[in-house]
Amino acid sequence: NAGVTQTPKFQVLKTGQSMTLQCAQDMNHEYMSWYRQDPGMGLRLIHYSVGAGITDQGEVPNGYNVSRSTTEDFPLRLLSAAPSQTSVYFCASSRSGQARDGYTFGSGTRLTVV
Amino acid sequence: GQQVMQIPQYQHVQEGEDFTTYCNSSTTLSNIQWYKQRPGGHPVFLIQLVKSGEVKKQKRLTFQFGEAKKNSSLHITATQTTDVGTYFCAGPSGSARQLTFGSGTQLTVLP
């Protein structure tokens, strides 16, 4: 099992560009989420999904879009990149839609916006 | 909204010394989870505590959940260099469909 796979691992964008961070899991997990990690601020939830076709906003959703057309995939779209979006992005999945199962994280995407 | 606070933010210990990190929530938690993130890596799930006053052990790691289910601690006995990393606690919020992470405690172990 690959677990949670994120691509790309590194990305540099210019301000105003758009891009999609990919996330795929092969564990048949219903729940998937995106976090960003900034120094000294822990992990902050951007968007999450409790199943195919269902998404919702987390703590810091502005500037990001998500969709969940399949159980396996949960891409994160940056609409118009800004320097404030420079961060490390983690995708995570868990078995159920309730926060009572441990999360499996991908290896992360390190994004720099210049 | 719910906040999860962790202290200390940083801890340097000599190899062989003990280490403890504390987690406090502004609300009662149905459960609390702990994760470890190695430098340059991703968070890895360690354990979940559910019951009031629960204590669980994993080798040299001891996890406790407070009686009021608003605080938790992770204690490492006789630290080793392999314990280096950032330890996060996390609790459910938003109708338990979201997991809120503490800011983490970064542990450095000096050989």
Side-chain angles (χ1 to χ4, degrees), chain B residues 69-85:
Chain B
K69 302 183 75 172
K70 295 180 71 173
N71 58 76
S72 181
S73 64
L74 158 59
H75 179 81
I76 302 178
T77 303
T79 54
Q80 300 175 358
T81 54
T82 53
D83 295 324
V84 164

Side-chain angles (χ1 to χ4, degrees), chain B residues 7 10 18-19 26 31 36 41 45 47 52 55 59-60 65 72 78 81 88 95 99 101 105 110:
Chain B
I7 56 169
Y10 303 96
D18 292 355
F19 159 76
S26 57
N31 66 76
K36 177 183 179 181
F45 174 71
I47 207 164
S52 169
V55 178
K59 297 182 180 178
R60 294 177 294 103
F65 201 9
S72 181
T81 54
F88 293 97
S95 69
L99 198 60
F101 283 78
T105 295
L110 306 170

Side-chain angles (χ1 to χ4, degrees), chain A residues 1 3-4 25-33 49-52 68 70-73 92-97 101-105:
Chain A
N1 281 349
V4 178
Q25 54 91 9
D26 63 358
M27 298 172 285
N28 202 31
H29 282 174
E30 287 296 318
Y31 184 92
M32 297 185 74
S33 56
S49 168
V50 299
R68 184 98 180 268
T70 67
T71 300
E72 294 78 21
D73 300 297
S93 73
S94 72
R95 185 174 57 87
S96 73
D101 301 308
Y103 283 20
T104 300
F105 281 81

